[in-house]
């Protein structure tokens, strides 16, 4: 260990931008066994591991790095999977520069962080290859049944941990495939869909029942679910897109990011969604403008490049240093040919009610920091110009759908933001109803959704066990 002074930081080989622009395959090759062990060996084995504090799951990073460096891969995988239900997914798509690797002491000392995410992926990919990951066979069946609404990372993580404890689990989702944003939001070039399917198939083989094409509020009510199950976990994410409020923002020609990405991800399953066939959701040979600076915007610009757009521009009202998306993703996008117009805000979408033909853009400057800690953009008078485009995509973030109407007014107490209010232990205001993931935090990250799912499973299990204990407690004689 401690080889960080003599061995340079190395990420897995990244395919050349020219090549990866042409397909949707993942951009990184896997680590070889030697490269994985070498990079793990750079860890300084800190007594107080800041990387672990930087990881929402508090993964035992130094331990599994040491085991991987020593070639004890099965033990490394056991250690890693003890705190995470999807290490190979987090290893691929966590913004490590803002989490574990950003906190790594070696990074702070200027040597370049241990490539934690890549080693994490390498460990679990080895486990899949070696056949160490098998269906869950609980030691006993508790006889309790838990309903999970939402098959995204929060719901899947909860289902896995609950099944391990011996509970029956049924997952309901309105989509036709399980995975939530892992399947229909995040593109293949960041996360191959086979990686997600492998996880959901394992859950199915473990006895978890998936009821897909089943929507809470349409096909089933919360009341019915509470009657059917001993506990219900709500993990329905946030899907109401923020609207562009400038003139033209209501044009039917303006494409919402999720509609665009979902169609592209469906293409990856060899489907041809209607909007794609009509050309509305296909960037081929078109000049594309994406409005926004988060992860969703980065996924849209990079998807448009792969669909064969003639030009792709990202408009963002702050500068590079103040954008919410991962710096690594921006670098990938630039390599692939995306043009970033920093400090540029849309003031009008040009065109008519049905079609768009461009965006009127105003230049901005940055003022003092706002509540989010980022500097507030301010318009520069007289700086407007028109930017032509054939496809304009709005990627401005998400908020929860109306939970009150999904639950016919019989749902849990909400926050003023419309997210579900929970105690620090994932319990909602309704007995036996728990919640986690984006529907509690607002649009967040996969790793936080996994944490919420795992935490909720632990609380649900404890509450169900307490119920048994209460039922079997001997009646105490009242004191004289
Ligand atoms: C385009 C995009 C890219 C992203 N990239 C990254 C990234 O690179 N790294 C990262 O860490 N995070 C990323 N995120 C954020 C991350 O995907 C989310 O934080 C995470 O998926 C939230 O998990 P969840 O389980 O709470 O919700 P979701 O993944 O949204 O899953 C919710 C599930 O609930 C279902 N559902 C919703 N309503 C109902 C209903 N009424 N009845 C039944 N089912 C319902 C949905 O169909 C869905 O399957 C990205 C988000 C987007 C939109
Ligand atoms: S889960 Fe994410 S933050 Fe935690 S160690 Fe893995 S990549 Fe880093």
């Amino acid at each position: 260990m401690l080889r960080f002074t003599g061995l340079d930081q190395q990420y897995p080989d990244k395919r050349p931008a020219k090549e990866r622009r042409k397909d949707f395959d993942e951009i990184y090759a896997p680590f070889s066994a030697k490269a994985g062990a070498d990079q793990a060996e750079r860890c300084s084995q800190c007594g107080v591991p800041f990387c672990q504090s930087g990881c929402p799951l508090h993964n035992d990073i130094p331990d599994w790095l040491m085991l991987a460096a020593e070639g004890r891969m099965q033990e490394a995988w056991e250690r890693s999977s003890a705190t995470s239900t999807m290490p190979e997914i987090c290893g691929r798509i966590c913004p490590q520069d803002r989490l574990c690797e950003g906190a790594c002491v070696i990074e702070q000392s200027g040597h370049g962080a241990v490539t934690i995410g890549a080693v994490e992926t390498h460990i679990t990919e080895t486990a899949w290859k070696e056949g160490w990951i098998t269906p869950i066979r609980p030691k006993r069946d508790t006889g309790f049944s838990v309903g999970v609404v939402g098959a995204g990372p929060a719901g899947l993580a909860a289902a896995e941990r609950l099944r391990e404890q011996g509970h029956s689990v049924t997952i309901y989702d309105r989509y036709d495939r399980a995975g939530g944003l892992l399947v229909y939001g995040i593109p293949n070039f960041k996360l191959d869909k086979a990686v997600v399917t492998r996880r959901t198939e394992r859950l199915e083989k473990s006895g978890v029942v998936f009821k897909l094409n089943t929507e809470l509020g349409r096909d089933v009510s919360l009341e019915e679910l509470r009657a059917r199950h001993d506990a219900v976990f709500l993990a329905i994410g946030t899907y109401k897109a923020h609207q562009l409020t400038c003139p033209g923002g209501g044009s039917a020609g303006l494409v919402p990011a999720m509609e665009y990405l979902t169609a592209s991800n469906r293409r990856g399953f060899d489907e041809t969604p209607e909007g794609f066939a009509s050309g509305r959701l296909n960037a081929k040979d078109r000049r594309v403008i994406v409005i926004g600076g988060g992860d969703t915007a980065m996924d849209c610009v990079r998807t448009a490049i792969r669909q064969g757009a003639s030009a792709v521009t990202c408009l963002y009202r702050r500068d590079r240093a103040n954008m919410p998306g991962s710096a690594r993703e921006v670098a990938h996008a630039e390599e692939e040919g995306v043009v970033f117009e920093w400090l540029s805000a849309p003031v009008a979408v040009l065109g008519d009610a049905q079609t768009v033909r461009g965006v009127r853009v105003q230049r901005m400057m940055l003022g003092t920091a706002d509540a989010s800690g980022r500097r507030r953009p301010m318009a520069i008078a007289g700086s407007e110009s028109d930017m032509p485009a054939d496809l304009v995509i709005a990627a401005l973030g998400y908020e929860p759908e109306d939970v009150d109407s999904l639950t016919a007014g019989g749902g849990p107490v909400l926050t003023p933001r419309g997210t579900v209010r929970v105690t620090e232990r994932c319990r909602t205001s309704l007995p036996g109803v728990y919640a986690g993931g984006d529907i509690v935090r607002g649009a967040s990250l996969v790793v936080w959704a996994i944490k919420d799912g795992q935490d909720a499973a632990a609380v649900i299990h404890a509450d169900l066990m307490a119920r048994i204990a209460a039922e079997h407690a001997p009646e105490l004689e009242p004191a004289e």
Side-chain angles (χ1 to χ4, degrees):
M1 303 307 288
L2 276 80
R3 285 185 62 200
F4 62 93
T5 51
L7 187 68
D8 286 342
Q9 180 195 54
Q10 191 202 324
Y11 283 95
D13 290 339
K14 189 159 68 161
R15 296 195 293 133
K18 234 164 116 185
E19 180 191 314
R20 60 184 205 249
R21 279 170 59 106
K22 296 187 198 138
D23 62 47
F24 282 81
D25 294 346
E26 286 191 359
I27 71 167
Y28 285 109
F31 262 150
S32 66
K34 173 160 177 10
D38 280 352
Q39 288 299 305
E41 241 185 297
R42 294 182 68 244
C43 173
S44 65
Q45 296 287 292
C46 303
V48 179
F50 290 101
C51 56
Q52 192 170 13
S53 319
C55 167
L57 295 170
H58 290 282
N59 281 341
D60 286 334
I61 301 166
D63 284 6
W64 45 254
L65 285 175
M66 188 189 68
L67 291 164
E70 291 174 356
R72 294 157 65 187
M73 293 299 276
Q74 189 159 359
E75 288 166 86
W77 164 70
E78 280 163 7
R79 206 52 177 250
S80 158
S81 57
T83 51
S84 173
T85 55
M86 302 174 209
E88 75 283 26
I89 292 180
C90 291
R92 281 173 167 89
I93 59 167
C94 272
Q96 286 102 7
D97 46 346
R98 303 201 313 251
L99 301 171
C100 53
E101 294 180 20
C104 172
V105 164
I106 297 175
E107 173 73 13
Q108 302 302 324
S109 68
H111 290 86
V114 178
T115 50
I116 297 169
V119 177
E120 187 179 25
T121 302
H122 168 61
I123 292 169
T124 308
E125 285 303 330
T126 306
W128 279 108
K129 211 165 84 203
E130 295 295 328
W132 301 330
I133 303 178
T134 53
I136 301 160
R137 294 283 168 255
K139 289 199 185 77
R140 42 140 203 205
D141 272 322
T142 61
F144 285 119
S145 145
V146 182
V148 173
V149 191
L156 295 176
E160 177 162 340
R161 292 297 192 232
L162 287 162
R163 190 67 201 117
E164 282 168 2
Q165 296 292 352
H167 306 301
S168 300
V169 182
T170 304
I171 306 188
Y172 303 84
D173 200 290
R174 67 179 169 195
Y175 279 149
D176 55 345
R177 288 187 177 87
L181 291 172
L182 299 177
V183 164
Y184 285 135
I186 298 171
N188 256 26
F189 51 83
K190 276 165 63 180
L191 175 64
D192 194 291
K193 299 303 159 247
V195 172
V196 184
T197 311
R198 188 169 64 179
R199 281 278 166 200
T200 51
E201 283 176 356
R202 171 174 179 260
L203 286 179
E204 259 180 316
K205 287 180 192 149
S206 306
V208 171
V209 176
F210 285 87
K211 290 201 182 293
L212 302 175
N213 298 308
T214 306
E215 180 167 332
L216 174 69
R218 187 191 63 187
D219 305 304
V220 66
S221 70
L222 183 59
E223 212 181 341
E224 283 169 307
L225 293 179
R226 292 181 76 191
R228 206 178 283 172
H229 300 286
D230 298 291
V232 175
F233 178 53
L234 294 176
I236 56 176
T238 49
Y239 284 87
K240 188 172 161 205
H242 289 158
Q243 299 296 316
L244 201 56
T245 49
C246 64
S251 168
L254 184 67
V255 171
M258 266 309 288
E259 198 183 332
Y260 176 67
L261 291 173
T262 303
S264 176
N265 278 315
R266 285 196 179 278
R267 288 289 301 142
F269 288 109
D270 279 337
E271 295 173 21
T272 307
E274 199 187 313
F276 194 87
S278 70
R280 176 178 145 79
L281 304 174
N282 186 356
K284 184 155 176 49
D285 297 331
R286 299 169 87 188
R287 294 164 300 174
V288 179
I289 293 179
V290 176
I291 303 169
D295 286 332
T296 306
M298 294 311 104
D299 290 348
C300 290
V301 288
R302 298 178 68 202
T303 296
I305 289 278
R306 284 160 174 79
Q307 288 179 344
S310 56
V312 182
T313 305
C314 180
L315 287 188
Y316 182 54
R317 62 198 177 130
R318 292 184 168 97
D319 61 2
R320 179 192 289 264
N322 285 278
M323 78 183 298
S326 158
R328 211 178 280 173
E329 294 298 313
V330 176
H332 294 328
E334 281 180 326
E335 288 166 10
E336 290 163 9
V338 175
V339 173
F340 283 83
E341 292 286 347
W342 306 111
L343 295 165
S344 304
V347 285
V349 176
L350 309 172
D352 56 32
Q354 295 305 322
T355 47
V356 295
R357 56 179 180 78
V359 179
R360 180 155 301 151
V361 179
Q362 182 159 47
R363 299 291 159 187
M364 313 295 280
M365 59 184 181
L366 293 180
T368 50
D370 63 15
S372 74
R374 285 178 296 148
R375 293 176 61 194
R376 194 188 305 270
M378 296 182 312
I380 301 175
S383 64
E384 292 177 11
S385 63
D386 289 351
M387 214 179 259
D390 312 301
L391 173 59
V392 179
I393 301 170
L396 301 168
Y398 300 92
E399 57 190 88
E401 288 167 84
D402 184 356
V403 176
D404 275 338
S405 65
L406 289 180
T407 54
V413 170
L414 307 179
T415 68
R417 291 196 300 151
T419 51
V420 175
R421 188 188 292 281
V422 293
T423 62
E424 78 284 6
R425 311 243 48 211
C426 319
R427 296 186 184 96
T428 71
S429 57
L430 298 175
V433 179
Y434 306 76
D438 280 5
I439 191 58
V440 167
R441 294 176 182 275
S444 179
L445 291 174
V446 168
V447 65
W448 282 110
I450 293 172
K451 176 181 165 44
D452 286 356
Q454 294 183 163
D455 285 356
V459 173
I460 293 169
H461 175 66
D463 286 358
L464 293 175
M465 292 302 103
R467 209 192 283 182
I468 297 185
E471 277 163 16
H472 292 89
E475 295 276 325
L476 291 179
E477 291 290 325
E480 286 292 312

